[in-house]
Amino acid sequence: MALNGGNTVVESAAIALINQERQRNGLRPLQVDATLNRLTAIKAQDMAVNQSCEHYSPTIGGDEGVLLNREGITNVYAVFNIACGPGSTLDTAQKVVNAWINSPPHYANILDPNITRIGIGQVYSPQNNTNYWSMIATSDFQARNGWVQQGGKWYFYVNGIPQTGWVQVGELWYLLDNTGAWTQWLYKAPFYHYYNGTNWSTYYYDAQNKQWWFWNGTAWVRSQ
């Protein structure tokens, strides 16, 4: 199953077509937002996995507003569009935007004067040969930046996007997994440190001999 979410050619084309329609009606174009792109990818993926074309999702625990709230995006004006179509019915940006334009409630969302930001996600499911689309558009909001604790784990955000891999924050480097969660490893040259939830352990890597060393509190010992 192909998970897109944000800046694929087809999704960018859909946003461009929506902005063309807004400008044709005297409205300002919408700003592409990385956080909204990510959330629409999650929504489209959820619909594809569940083979459901509904705003409400039992796995998400609600509609797209729940996704916004989880990101700390509250007290904003928001509108949501979805579309699902088998085969080639909704396999291009032009087709999905036309479908929304030809549906009065969806068209009203596209031309809503209160929205300023937009994200679009599209997922194709080969299991049922269906394209799933999600659009989230909102008024302005402050994107997350810095450390945020979610579900007992720590994430580091830059402009609303959770970072992954080794990320430098001040003098320290933190290792974040592919979901953005801190692995509890950090690095400050020349030592690596690991936190197990209670205590810190310190390691040193001898690159010349390709050997890890562990500080046991009194001396360096080889790490197995």
Side-chain angles (χ1 to χ4, degrees):
M1 187 176 298
L3 172 61
N4 300 323
N7 292 311
T8 66
V9 172
V10 66
E11 291 160 347
S12 295
I15 293 174
L17 289 169
I18 287 172
N19 277 334
Q20 287 176 19
E21 187 65 19
R22 286 178 61 86
Q23 289 177 297
R24 193 174 69 83
N25 285 272
L27 296 168
R28 61 180 174 177
L30 302 174
Q31 175 186 341
V32 180
D33 186 90
T35 299
L36 298 183
N37 275 336
R38 182 164 51 84
L39 296 184
T40 56
I42 293 171
K43 174 60 180 174
Q45 174 81 345
D46 181 77
M47 290 192 295
V49 168
N50 293 299
Q51 297 188 12
S52 170
C53 196
E54 301 288 342
H55 286 286
Y56 177 83
S57 164
T59 52
I60 290 175
D63 64 7
E64 294 90 331
V66 172
L67 295 175
L68 290 173
N69 288 335
R70 288 177 184 169
E71 287 296 311
I73 303 172
T74 58
N75 299 319
V76 297
Y77 185 90
V79 297
F80 316 127
N81 279 354
I82 56 175
C84 313
S88 61
T89 56
L90 292 177
D91 62 349
T92 69
Q94 188 70 66
K95 289 177 182 178
V96 73
V97 173
N98 283 346
W100 285 335
I101 289 175
N102 291 323
S103 166
H106 296 90
Y107 191 46
N109 286 341
I110 287 175
L111 297 186
D112 196 309
N114 299 304
I115 55 177
T116 58
R117 300 184 180 209
I118 189 172
I120 285 184
Q122 179 261 338
V123 168
Y124 170 73
S125 173
Q127 280 74 25
N128 61 352
N129 188 29
T130 298
N131 284 282
Y132 295 87
W133 292 81
S134 168
M135 182 196 94
I136 299 177
T138 70
S139 56
D140 282 338
F141 61 85
Q142 183 64 46
R144 279 181 169 175
N145 281 289
W147 289 105
V148 175
Q149 189 175 30
Q150 297 172 273
K153 297 181 179 181
W154 285 96
Y155 299 80
F156 189 78
Y157 283 78
V158 175
N159 295 326
I161 300 299
Q163 303 300 290
T164 59
W166 284 102
V167 175
Q168 185 174 13
V169 183
E171 297 180 347
L172 303 177
W173 289 82
Y174 295 82
L175 180 59
L176 311 176
D177 69 18
N178 59 6
T179 70
W182 179 41
T183 63
Q184 300 185 178
W185 280 96
L186 65 81
Y187 174 74
K188 183 177 182 181
F191 303 114
Y192 294 84
H193 306 275
Y194 178 75
Y195 182 62
N196 65 7
T198 304
N199 300 305
W200 286 94
S201 302
T202 300
Y203 298 82
Y204 172 75
Y205 182 66
D206 179 357
Q208 182 175 354
N209 297 301
K210 299 181 179 179
Q211 175 65 53
W212 283 96
W213 294 81
F214 168 70
W215 178 254
N216 67 6
T218 57
W220 289 100
V221 296
R222 290 178 183 269
S223 179
Q224 302 299 320

